Amino acid sequence: MTVKDLYKTLHYRRYIFWCLAVGYVLVFFHRLCPAVVATDMMTDLQAGGTLIGFLSSAYFYPYALMQLPTGLLSDSWGPRKTITLFLCVASIGSVLLGLASSPSGAVVGRILVGLGVSTLFVCTLKILAEWYSVREFIIMTGVLMAMGGVGSLAAATPLALVSTWIGWRLSFVLVGLVTALLAALIWRVVRDRPTDLGWPSPAEHAALAETHIGLSDSIRQVVTRPAFWPLAIWFFFKYGIFTSFAGLWGGPYLMHVYGVSKGRAGGILSLVAVGMIIGSPLAGYLSTRVLQGRKPALVLASGVVVAITAALAFATENMSLGLLGVLCFGLGVFASAIAVIGFTSARELFPARIAGTSFGLLNLFPFAGGAVLQPLMGAILERHGKVGSAFTVAGYREAFFVLFLSALAALIASLFVQETFEKRR
């Protein structure tokens, strides 16, 4: 390895990271954007709460189901090709969603969006593992998650303003075109590994001659490891809470119960993104330097989310807008940014040769949580009826009680998570 070649690797990988990071901005934008435009979509598509819940969660079903195939495609076909192709699918889905004339057409578009962005996270982790050392990996993963916060921010106030200006339909068409441009940029810039350009890799495992393990054996090693399941259950409930509130029902709740405008609701929800942006890079420091363990960080975060959902469930209509902003910020830190520690635990729990499979399997659970909880909350709200065009306080109270029970389940699961920090030392 010459100094010149190493310099090329260290320099070029920054371009690769930022291309993929912009892609992750779009992933989170697509994930959370229904919260701001949900009321407009219900009116325009003449859809009730249950149907809008299924429309929003239609993103999560293909996303969850694609996590394991994504690992296989990433290993066999390559992450660059996989990301590019599927972002083109997301672009088509976003345009179809904007042009949909019926709820069924909107659901088809939303499914294509979920399918299209489903491969980016796992493929990005694989690329980072090739271009960065183990020590650098957790730092870059934290920055990547922070960029997800930027996507969440874009799905709040900016989307509220743009959709007010040009309408929710044209907003989604515009995002679809941006997604297509990003797919072309990733194809042009990103490479799967430094060796594709004839450069050395800074990743420690590059020098190791690890035995190849087939997909079925990799899956078996992951799912038969008892320590995998508490982490998976924790992800299911914790992220289901986050996506159900920040990704869909938080916006209607603020507008229906507190009577704020769509722009004001987007501003309050944007504090979720601020929490992600601030919390994601600091999560690794909290776990490694302050708490000196992965498990304490997960338990602490779970306890905070219990307190947040308790406030939503038991003081549904009795909080100030300032307090609601604090709760949104807390959700961004302790229900989303903390995922950095969850994925770090998974990487430390399994050997590098099956890291792709373990990431893919684990990443199925958070989106399965969103796919279950979003329509469940919509059904609860619909059952309680409406006052005019707004869901009732009683409906939101019961729906948020489901989130509170989910937070308790996540806390219990975190108590059974295996500590992995000592194994790295």
Side-chain angles (χ1 to χ4, degrees):
M1 177 189 302
T2 66
V3 175
K4 184 178 180 180
D5 286 340
L6 181 59
Y7 173 78
K8 289 179 180 178
T9 299
L10 299 180
H11 182 70
Y12 193 79
R13 67 182 183 175
R14 288 180 291 180
Y15 298 117
I16 291 177
F17 173 79
W18 287 112
C19 284
L20 297 172
V22 172
Y24 201 54
V25 169
L26 285 178
V27 169
F28 260 83
F29 176 88
H30 282 301
R31 187 175 300 167
L32 302 181
C33 61
V36 169
V37 296
T39 54
D40 294 337
M41 296 174 74
M42 280 191 286
T43 301
D44 198 1
L45 297 173
Q46 297 182 345
T50 303
L51 188 56
I52 288 295
F54 276 112
L55 170 61
S56 179
S57 66
Y59 169 105
F60 296 101
Y61 293 109
Y63 198 112
L65 292 175
M66 274 301 298
Q67 294 314 295
L68 185 56
T70 293
L72 179 60
L73 287 171
S74 180
D75 290 337
S76 60
W77 203 36
R80 171 175 168 256
K81 292 179 181 178
T82 302
I83 292 173
T84 302
L85 174 64
F86 278 83
L87 280 184
C88 290
V89 174
S91 172
I92 295 171
S94 187
V95 172
L96 289 178
L97 177 59
L99 299 177
S101 59
S102 66
S104 59
V107 168
V108 171
R110 185 72 171 159
I111 288 174
L112 290 178
V113 168
L115 177 66
V117 300
S118 65
T119 65
L120 193 137
F121 183 69
V122 170
C123 287
T124 297
L125 291 184
K126 183 174 177 64
I127 290 173
L128 294 182
E130 294 288 348
W131 284 86
Y132 290 89
S133 68
V134 173
R135 181 182 60 83
E136 295 168 324
F137 180 87
I138 188 172
I139 298 173
M140 301 313 296
T141 302
V143 177
L144 181 68
M145 293 292 292
M147 294 302 293
V150 174
S152 301
L153 191 63
T157 300
L159 178 60
L161 296 174
V162 172
S163 64
T164 300
W165 178 38
I166 64 175
W168 71 270
R169 291 182 176 279
L170 190 55
S171 298
F172 282 121
V173 172
L174 181 62
V175 171
L177 297 178
V178 171
T179 304
L181 290 175
L182 179 64
L185 181 64
I186 288 176
W187 177 258
R188 177 67 180 85
V189 174
V190 173
R191 293 297 181 270
D192 293 339
R193 57 189 65 84
T195 54
D196 291 348
L197 296 172
W199 299 340
S201 174
E204 293 89 340
H205 71 82
L208 302 177
E210 292 186 325
T211 304
H212 174 73
I213 298 179
L215 178 62
S216 60
D217 288 337
S218 298
I219 295 173
R220 179 182 55 79
Q221 287 191 34
V222 174
V223 299
T224 58
R225 181 80 178 267
F228 170 78
W229 292 104
L231 198 57
I233 294 170
W234 178 81
F235 263 114
F236 178 92
F237 285 108
K238 184 271 307 178
Y239 212 71
I241 293 167
F242 174 77
T243 54
S244 295
F245 185 87
L248 181 58
W249 294 116
Y253 162 64
L254 292 170
M255 288 183 272
H256 292 168
V257 176
Y258 289 89
V260 302
S261 66
K262 181 171 65 174
R264 186 70 181 276
I268 295 172
L269 288 174
S270 68
L271 291 172
V272 173
V274 174
M276 290 179 59
I277 294 170
I278 294 175
S280 295
L282 295 178
Y285 179 82
L286 172 68
S287 172
T288 303
R289 300 294 184 183
V290 179
L291 299 176
Q292 297 187 343
R294 311 304 182 207
K295 182 175 180 176
L298 299 182
V299 173
L300 173 63
S302 301
V304 174
V305 174
V306 168
I308 291 172
T309 54
L312 292 171
F314 301 113
T316 309
E317 76 278 28
N318 297 318
M319 294 181 283
S320 67
L321 294 182
L323 178 57
L324 287 167
V326 171
L327 296 183
C328 286
F329 179 84
L331 281 175
V333 175
F334 297 105
S336 182
I338 197 66
V340 172
I341 305 304
F343 284 110
T344 299
S345 295
R347 189 179 185 195
E348 294 167 347
L349 193 61
F350 297 99
R353 61 182 179 273
I354 61 170
T357 302
S358 63
F359 281 137
L361 282 169
L362 185 63
N363 208 33
L364 184 155
F365 286 87
F367 301 101
V372 171
L373 290 181
Q374 281 192 346
L376 175 60
M377 291 181 66
I380 292 172
L381 291 169
E382 196 74 30
R383 188 183 68 189
H384 281 269
K386 293 183 176 181
V387 177
S389 61
F391 291 119
T392 65
V393 172
Y396 281 108
R397 186 181 296 116
E398 184 176 334
F400 290 151
F401 185 71
V402 171
L403 296 188
F404 172 67
L405 295 179
S406 299
L408 288 176
L411 176 60
I412 293 171
S414 70
L415 298 175
F416 291 91
V417 168
Q418 179 176 317
E419 180 59 71
T420 58
F421 177 69
E422 290 294 329
K423 293 185 177 181
R424 291 185 67 243
R425 298 180 62 181

